[in-house]
Amino acid sequence: MTHDSDPLRQYAVATIASSGGLAALISFSETAMLTILGKRSSINVRKVMWACDELTLAWRQEDWGSGFRDTRSPEFLALNPNAMVPVLRDGDFVLWESNSILRYLANRYDGEVLYPRAAHARARVDQWLDWQASDLNRSWSYAFMALVRKSPQHTDPVQVQASLDAWRGFMQVLDARLEKTGAFVAGAGFSLADIAVGLSVNRWFATPMDHPRMPAVMDYFARLKERPGFLLHGSNGVP
């Protein structure tokens, strides 16, 4: 599936016509070569699509994973031996691991506004990116599979409750952080960390369970909804 294919063609024609330059055509072609492999319902694929939109990059997406093309096929395993999505293709360059892809896109395509170069600011973004991928995601995995995916392999009520308890604990950590910043997870400005954490917050509210009152998280969720990328790839009815 191509993202905004007709507008991209219009953009290419307009750019080349106005500049008359081969350089513009080459630049457009390089950008248009971004391909995201993975189904759109995957939370990690949605990270990459949202990041591309924040960076105003042209991209296309291919459906791979459960219900679509098999990630254990030789074709896909040649790209990612872990048989997991997402995978990014940027010309001849192939990259997997969603947060690594976020960092690459920001580094490659002048995304300093999302991923600052200053050491302290960048480290803070990295801290929350890694927290989302490890602590937060691990906590909700069992409960989400049980309550939303209805997985027959995730029916142990003790493990469901343990997962919910851990999830609530980490969300309280997030609430305290957002109360401190009054804005976004890494500080005053929106960053790559908010793409990863924001999608997890959407999943939190979309899971049928008791949600303790967390005012800062609620305000954050409303703040994210002001961003078109979050409405497209985050708060779009998909948990």
Side-chain angles (χ1 to χ4, degrees):
M1 181 179 296
T2 303
H3 176 71
D4 293 337
S5 56
D6 288 339
L8 287 175
R9 282 195 290 270
Q10 294 168 8
Y11 167 80
V13 171
T15 301
I16 296 166
S18 63
S19 67
L22 180 60
L25 176 60
I26 293 172
S27 175
F28 172 78
S29 298
E30 286 178 348
T31 302
M33 281 193 290
L34 283 178
T35 302
I36 303 164
L37 283 71
K39 60 183 181 180
R40 287 175 173 256
S41 60
S42 161
I43 194 170
N44 289 322
V45 172
R46 290 153 71 192
K47 285 183 193 177
V48 178
M49 295 189 297
W50 183 7
C52 285
D53 283 354
E54 290 286 345
L55 294 167
T56 63
L57 300 175
W59 52 275
R60 60 188 297 273
Q61 175 262 342
E62 297 179 2
D63 284 320
W64 290 86
S66 178
F68 297 96
R69 280 178 282 183
D70 187 0
T71 58
R72 296 196 174 277
S73 68
E75 178 187 359
F76 192 90
L77 290 173
L79 302 175
N80 184 358
N82 302 291
M84 297 177 69
V85 298
V87 170
L88 178 75
R89 279 202 309 244
D90 187 0
D92 294 331
F93 182 70
V94 176
L95 188 64
W96 39 267
E97 286 295 336
S98 60
N99 286 355
S100 294
I101 293 171
L102 297 189
R103 293 178 175 106
Y104 166 75
L105 291 171
N107 285 328
R108 172 76 170 84
Y109 293 105
D110 300 320
E112 188 174 355
V113 66
L114 299 180
Y115 195 41
R117 295 189 185 279
H120 288 183
R122 175 164 288 201
R124 193 64 69 204
V125 173
D126 284 334
Q127 171 185 278
W128 288 100
L129 275 173
D130 293 341
W131 177 82
Q132 182 272 341
S134 55
D135 298 332
L136 183 59
N137 274 16
R138 258 202 308 262
S139 71
W140 55 249
S141 178
Y142 198 98
F144 180 79
M145 292 301 294
L147 300 175
V148 177
R149 297 284 189 246
K150 306 298 184 182
S151 165
Q153 286 79 42
H154 298 79
T155 57
D156 182 343
V158 174
Q159 291 195 60
V160 171
Q161 189 59 53
S163 178
L164 290 173
D165 291 344
W167 194 359
R168 291 184 182 110
F170 285 117
M171 290 300 294
Q172 287 166 346
V173 170
L174 178 62
D175 190 64
R177 172 61 180 172
L178 292 168
E179 185 177 5
K180 181 177 180 180
T181 68
F184 297 101
V185 70
F190 180 87
S191 73
L192 292 182
D194 296 294
I195 292 175
V197 172
L199 284 164
S200 289
V201 169
N202 178 71
R203 180 157 287 189
W204 162 260
F205 285 118
T207 299
M209 60 180 182
D210 291 332
H211 297 87
R213 186 172 179 273
M214 297 185 189
V217 171
M218 286 292 295
D219 290 347
Y220 176 66
F221 194 50
R223 203 171 297 122
L224 291 176
K225 288 181 179 180
E226 297 172 1
R227 307 189 76 86
F230 184 63
L231 296 179
L232 279 172
H233 308 296
S235 185
N236 60 0
V238 179

